[in-house]
Amino acid sequence: MTQLHQQLETKYQRITDLEKEIDSLKSSADDLEQYSRRTSLRVAGLHEENEEDPCKVAMDLINDHLSLDPPISIEELDRVHQVGPKKTEDSTTKPRKLLMKFTTRRACRRVFAVRWRLQSSEATKKIFINEHLTEIRAKRMWEARKLKRYCRS
């Protein structure tokens, strides 16, 4: 009986060690994934038209509505595409988000730094530019925003 108890304790310790290792690996994977997203921004609230060029939409948003000086050139955008399921004609879902990946972190930071300018115009008041966070970090940010709202009231 004592021997079985010792084996059981050894197994529990092994399980605990493996759970710690899994948590560490998850954290490392999240760090690497977030690092790969460091040059990307998500745009929510843009009105979506059929067959429009997402690159042109992004350039118009950045250079016309954000008034960057000097303006961002098309070469500074690596990729632009919409994410999420495509809206059907009879659907009442929100427009898809626009994902912009820049060629440099500097260009991404320039756009992110002036995102507040969207709130100064009625036409762009419901458009939001955010960092492209991993699911884990997005959940943490959501919780932090909820706590901030709760603490204010």
Side-chain angles (χ1 to χ4, degrees), residues 39-63:
T39 59
S40 298
L41 296 175
R42 281 185 103 114
V43 181
L46 277 175
H47 181 68
E48 186 178 346
E49 297 290 331
N50 287 336
E51 305 302 320
E52 67 186 347
D53 180 22
C55 213
K56 182 182 178 338
V57 171
M59 293 301 291
D60 290 344
L61 176 70
I62 293 168
N63 291 326

Side-chain angles (χ1 to χ4, degrees), residues 108-125:
C108 181
R109 292 285 111 199
R110 282 183 58 215
V111 172
F112 192 69
V114 296
R115 72 191 189 280
W116 58 269
R117 291 181 183 165
L118 292 173
Q119 303 309 308
S120 62
S121 165
E122 283 300 317
T124 59
K125 198 167 198 140

Side-chain angles (χ1 to χ4, degrees), residues 8-148:
L8 191 59
E9 278 297 316
T10 304
K11 298 293 182 192
Y12 279 136
Q13 184 60 45
R14 177 79 175 133
I15 289 170
T16 303
D17 292 345
L18 289 172
E19 286 174 341
K20 287 179 184 176
E21 187 175 350
I22 288 170
D23 288 342
S24 174
L25 290 171
K26 281 181 182 179
S27 178
S28 295
D30 183 66
D31 289 345
L32 288 171
E33 186 176 348
Q34 187 60 51
Y35 186 77
S36 71
R37 295 176 180 208
R38 73 191 182 285
T39 59
S40 298
L41 296 175
R42 281 185 103 114
V43 181
L46 277 175
H47 181 68
E48 186 178 346
E49 297 290 331
N50 287 336
E51 305 302 320
E52 67 186 347
D53 180 22
C55 213
K56 182 182 178 338
V57 171
M59 293 301 291
D60 290 344
L61 176 70
I62 293 168
N63 291 326
D64 295 344
H65 296 293
L66 294 178
S67 305
L68 277 182
D69 188 30
I72 292 282
S73 68
I74 193 73
E75 289 80 23
E76 291 178 279
L77 277 174
D78 184 25
R79 275 184 301 230
V80 179
H81 60 275
Q82 293 169 317
V83 291
K86 193 168 187 170
K87 184 178 176 181
T88 59
E89 290 181 26
D90 60 336
S91 175
T92 58
T93 59
K94 294 179 181 179
R96 296 184 291 172
K97 291 183 170 99
L98 191 69
L99 182 62
M100 301 184 297
K101 182 168 174 61
F102 295 86
T103 55
T104 64
R105 182 151 169 77
R106 179 175 294 148
C108 181
R109 292 285 111 199
R110 282 183 58 215
V111 172
F112 192 69
V114 296
R115 72 191 189 280
W116 58 269
R117 291 181 183 165
L118 292 173
Q119 303 309 308
S120 62
S121 165
E122 283 300 317
T124 59
K125 198 167 198 140
K126 295 194 178 194
I127 299 173
F128 300 95
I129 298 176
N130 296 302
E131 294 173 305
H132 185 202
L133 300 174
T134 62
E135 187 177 338
I136 293 170
R137 291 172 193 229
K139 285 179 184 176
R140 286 182 192 157
M141 281 295 271
W142 173 250
E143 292 296 323
R145 284 194 302 272
K146 283 193 327 189
L147 283 173
K148 184 178 176 183

